[in-house]
Amino acid sequence: MNHTVRKRWRNAGMVLLLAAMMPLMLWRNALESSLWCDEIYSVLIAEKPAAQAIDQTSIDCHPPGYYLSLKGWVALGRAAGIDPGVSWGRLPGVIGWLGLVAAAYFLGRAVFGRSAAMLLAWAVAIAAQTAFVAKDMRPYAMAYPALFTCFMLLLALRSRRRQAGGWMLYAACAAVALWSHMLSGPVLGLLAIMWLAMGVGLHGTRRKQYLIGGFIAQAAALISFLPWLVQLAASVAHLANNQSWMTPPTVRNWLLVFGLWYPIGRHGGEGAWGLNLATQVALGAATLALPAAALVWAKLRQRRHVPPRWKRLAAWGIGLAVANVTLLWGLNRTGTLLVFHGPRFLVFTAAMWICGLVGLGQWARIRAGWRPWTAWALMVPWFVASAFGIAMDLKIETHQGLAAALGPMPPAGSPLYVMPTELMPFQRRTLARWNARPIERIAGIPAGTDRVSVLIMNQWQTLNTERDWVVLRMLRSGRLAQASFPHFIPPNVNQGDLDYFTLIDAQGWNHHFARQLGADGFRAKEPAAPARAMARIDPRDLRMRDGWHFMQVDADLQDYRWSAVPKTKIQLPRELKPGRYVLHLNVVRAPMFSATTRLGVEPPGRNPPYFAQLTNGLSYHVTTEFQIRAGVRNPVVTLVHPVADANRGKAGQPWMIGIALYDIWLE
């Protein structure tokens, strides 16, 4: 077979890969039944104003890069007349998947040749973990292909004379990964070790180019991330909390990463088609055992020369994956950071692990003098495990969600009021079964209607809008309906996982009160500031990065925020000129922790702070005087107080609270 014919067949292999996978990817992305709680989190963050989205992520382990990108992507769709939904929202993941395939093929071709690059592209593209990431509206969809591209660039640039463009791409990909997911940091650290080790092994001008180019690229990525480094402590604190859903950091689970979750995917271990855990692990273990055994046999029987590039691919691919898994496993095992989640958090080095398996197979093939097709044969267990993993994912994804649990739902065609409204386009086809309406339309329910069905699709209370809090509190307080009966969908769900919907059967509907809420814009009441007040702060204006929880609304339609840390800040809205001032605060203390709460108030210019002893009751009005001797441009009030876990003794993560702030004004 001449070179031209071989080239056409290899190009046909890429066409076949895209023809086989793209329809499956697009169909899978359109499945509303697979929309889960973490994707809902992404959508609701992206629907917030940019400033609120950034503030919200300041107390999360993920930087805001992915959420702001999703926000821009959804806005782009709306500008083009495309109503957002699961297909559009997940499309960037497919674009990232195409980028990953391109990195495997084109960068691999530059180092390993067309045939090996084709095998790399196939093995990485159809991996169950890769396919799942491509359909998931989560930061992994950007970070995973970006980190893999960095890995392939390190291999490809080592043998190139012109490297400037490659290092620019490396810097961009590293920055994308850092801004998307905090756990990209350890992987980029391991890639830096790989860059340094491979650069030292070069000689002359090429060594200098490689080391200088890599240093500049990595420094540029780190500098781009500097604005978010101020939030690093909060992200680390978030990861240090009790994450009840983490995988126990046992030796068995460390091994299962490579024998189960990498080859079979996130749902590896769940029974399907009669294959129990032991059978799945045996299949997963074969993905490493076959190329490794072939290499051992070839080393014992043959002594053919193997180009170093294959040894590098095998060593660095497997070595980086093992190092990353061991690092996160060790951090979790020592209690430093709870980051060992076998099916999910370790995915960033899955594609590198696949490259290592391909490298082992090629190493064995060349050492033994086998024909090129044997490298594909050695990867057959991987292809089988990947196909099984994707099939199992699809079986689960097509049998969940609203469509799979219609028992408690009202009859088809019935009115159904949905909250939050922003999620309705992402369940458009599923909700078409009923006469679904935005939650705002409860203000216009026809007179005489006594029974109303309200579907709550968001269980992340931290992401509730003011509108949603108003409706929820009024339902629970009995002011909007005489009785409200919740039904969980699916009915036997573990509510600690947040992966469920709630149907509220509201009976005895209060039409007058609903119309009043609508006329007020579903907003909480704003306390009237005294006539002598020169400045007032509403709980809406407090920021989570200053130590406050999300805004809530009480049964009297008053908005408030709980403090989350022992030292919280309040940014005053105006410059303070020299003079004497009086600060007023309306607060509620958490009475379940102690009989007395000591609240310290430190206005600008006052040191030491004023301390108030809050005893007996729940609500308090605290005042303190202070004097400004020189003008203050950005005045800040600091509150010092104890916090405790409100979820003490309950399952799930701790929820630290101290005092609830209702109102603050300055005279």
Side-chain angles (χ1 to χ4, degrees):
M1 186 180 294
N2 61 37
H3 175 73
T4 303
V5 174
R6 286 199 303 269
K7 183 177 179 180
R8 288 177 179 175
W9 274 106
R10 288 162 188 163
N11 291 337
M14 286 301 296
V15 173
L16 178 62
L17 172 61
L18 297 177
M21 289 297 293
M22 281 300 292
L24 175 64
M25 305 279 283
L26 296 175
W27 173 77
R28 186 179 184 182
N29 280 14
L31 291 174
E32 294 177 348
S33 57
S34 64
L35 185 73
W36 65 301
C37 61
D38 279 22
E39 289 185 291
I40 287 174
Y41 186 95
S42 297
V43 171
L44 293 181
I45 287 279
E47 289 288 351
K48 291 180 177 295
Q52 288 187 25
I54 293 172
D55 186 49
Q56 186 84 39
T57 53
S58 67
I59 50 94
D60 194 14
C61 62
H62 302 309
Y66 174 77
Y67 304 115
L68 295 178
S69 298
L70 181 60
K71 180 179 181 65
W73 179 255
V74 170
L76 177 65
R78 288 188 174 126
I82 302 172
D83 196 19
V86 288
S87 294
W88 182 256
R90 290 168 172 169
L91 191 56
V94 178
I95 297 172
W97 177 84
L98 289 171
L100 180 140
V101 172
Y105 181 68
F106 292 108
L107 295 176
R109 186 180 65 180
V111 183
F112 309 110
R114 287 181 180 272
S115 179
M118 180 69 64
L119 176 56
L120 269 178
W122 270 86
V124 170
I126 73 166
Q129 287 281 12
T130 303
F132 189 96
V133 165
K135 75 95 198 171
D136 204 23
M137 282 187 290
R138 297 295 295 147
Y140 306 91
M142 287 173 56
Y144 180 69
L147 289 171
F148 178 70
T149 302
C150 289
F151 172 75
M152 293 299 298
L153 280 168
L154 289 181
L155 294 170
L157 292 174
R158 192 178 187 277
S159 59
R160 285 193 178 184
R161 294 188 179 276
R162 296 183 178 181
Q163 301 179 2
W167 287 122
M168 291 175 64
L169 179 59
Y170 187 100
C173 289
V176 166
L178 280 174
W179 278 100
S180 299
H181 201 292
M182 191 62 69
L183 291 181
S184 297
V187 180
L188 287 170
L190 294 172
L191 288 172
I193 295 173
M194 175 183 172
W195 154 76
L196 187 61
M198 291 205 306
V200 169
L202 293 170
H203 301 283
T205 305
R206 190 167 294 180
R207 175 181 181 178
K208 184 178 179 180
Q209 279 185 324
Y210 191 83
L211 290 176
I212 292 176
F215 176 81
I216 294 174
Q218 292 170 87
L222 184 59
I223 290 171
S224 78
F225 194 62
L226 286 179
W228 198 252
L229 285 182
V230 295
Q231 303 298 333
L232 188 60
S235 299
V236 170
H238 179 86
L239 291 173
N241 280 337
N242 173 33
Q243 306 279 4
S244 58
W245 45 270
M246 286 295 169
T247 307
T250 61
V251 174
R252 173 181 179 272
N253 285 332
W254 184 93
L255 292 170
L256 284 178
V257 173
F258 308 104
L260 181 67
W261 292 310
Y262 271 3
I264 293 180
R266 288 200 183 184
H267 294 116
E270 300 183 25
W273 297 292
L275 293 185
N276 57 21
L277 176 62
T279 306
Q280 293 182 40
V281 170
L283 175 60
T287 63
L288 172 63
L290 184 58
L295 178 59
V296 171
W297 184 90
K299 277 182 167 290
L300 293 175
R301 295 297 187 93
Q302 301 291 339
R303 294 188 178 275
R304 294 176 185 268
H305 172 70
V306 179
R309 62 179 181 270
W310 296 114
K311 299 177 182 179
R312 282 194 294 269
L313 181 64
W316 284 112
I318 292 177
L320 288 176
V322 171
N324 183 53
V325 171
T326 304
L327 175 62
L328 300 190
W329 177 84
L331 290 172
N332 210 130
R333 192 172 179 87
T334 59
T336 306
L337 293 176
L338 305 184
V339 289
F340 184 73
H341 189 265
R344 195 185 338 174
F345 277 7
L346 306 169
V347 71
F348 293 129
T349 45
M352 301 171 200
W353 171 262
I354 300 168
C355 289
L357 297 182
V358 173
L360 281 180
Q362 293 283 5
W363 188 350
R365 177 190 71 79
I366 297 171
R367 177 87 178 197
W370 295 332
R371 297 179 65 83
W373 64 265
T374 55
W376 288 80
L378 293 175
M379 290 297 292
V380 165
W382 180 265
F383 292 129
V384 173
S386 299
F388 173 77
I390 292 176
M392 185 161 57
D393 288 346
L394 291 175
K395 182 177 181 181
I396 293 171
E397 291 166 8
T398 53
H399 292 81
Q400 60 187 23
L402 281 176
L406 298 178
M409 295 296 290
S414 302
L416 181 66
Y417 296 89
V418 181
M419 62 181 293
T421 302
E422 293 79 7
L423 284 179
M424 289 186 67
F426 293 84
Q427 291 282 351
R428 184 185 300 110
R429 289 185 297 276
T430 304
L431 292 174
R433 181 187 300 264
W434 301 278
N435 185 6
R437 304 167 182 177
I439 192 63
E440 294 89 343
R441 292 182 60 182
I442 61 171
I445 291 177
T449 304
D450 181 70
R451 194 169 182 175
V452 175
S453 296
V454 177
L455 178 65
I456 303 171
M457 294 198 294
N458 168 41
Q459 304 305 329
W460 297 95
Q461 60 177 353
T462 181
L463 296 179
N464 280 336
T465 63
E466 183 175 356
R467 170 204 64 206
D468 297 340
W469 272 117
V470 166
V471 174
L472 282 172
R473 289 299 190 199
M474 295 306 99
L475 280 171
R476 293 170 182 171
S477 67
R479 298 180 66 183
L480 198 50
Q482 294 177 5
S484 297
F485 303 97
H487 302 279
F488 301 116
I489 303 171
N492 300 318
V493 74
N494 176 10
Q495 295 167 33
D497 291 339
L498 299 171
D499 217 355
Y500 66 101
F501 301 135
T502 305
L503 178 70
I504 302 293
D505 181 11
Q507 300 179 15
W509 190 254
N510 188 333
H511 294 269
H512 174 74
F513 189 62
R515 287 193 296 271
Q516 181 182 332
L517 291 178
D520 294 337
F522 294 96
R523 288 175 59 86
K525 297 177 181 177
E526 296 191 16
R532 59 185 181 277
M534 59 176 294
R536 177 179 174 272
I537 300 293
D538 190 275
R540 297 183 184 92
D541 305 321
L542 301 177
R543 300 181 300 190
M544 301 181 81
R545 62 177 174 270
D546 289 335
W548 297 97
H549 280 300
F550 49 89
M551 193 197 81
Q552 299 185 60
V553 176
D554 67 13
D556 295 320
L557 283 176
Q558 302 290 331
D559 59 334
Y560 66 96
R561 284 187 192 242
W562 282 104
S563 59
V565 295
K567 196 171 185 178
T568 53
K569 296 180 180 180
I570 303 169
Q571 180 73 51
L572 297 180
R574 57 181 295 176
E575 177 183 356
L576 294 183
K577 297 180 180 179
R580 297 187 65 85
Y581 298 89
V582 180
L583 184 69
H584 297 260
L585 299 96
N586 288 331
V587 300
V588 168
R589 74 179 187 91
M592 71 283 290
F593 307 131
S594 63
T596 302
T597 299
R598 190 167 185 255
L599 173 64
V601 184
E602 186 177 345
R606 173 158 185 160
N607 194 11
Y610 165 77
F611 284 96
Q613 294 293 121
L614 310 182
T615 58
N616 300 323
L618 293 177
S619 301
Y620 302 87
H621 180 77
V622 179
T623 62
T624 181
E625 296 185 5
F626 64 98
Q627 184 172 357
I628 298 293
R629 300 188 183 279
V632 180
R633 287 186 175 275
N634 297 299
V636 174
V637 176
T638 302
L639 304 183
V640 182
H641 51 276
V643 296
D645 182 10
N647 286 339
R648 184 172 48 191
K650 302 177 182 178
Q653 294 180 223
W655 194 54
M656 309 303 292
I657 62 172
I659 63 159
L661 182 63
Y662 273 76
D663 201 12
I664 178 172
W665 71 89
L666 195 64
E667 295 178 357

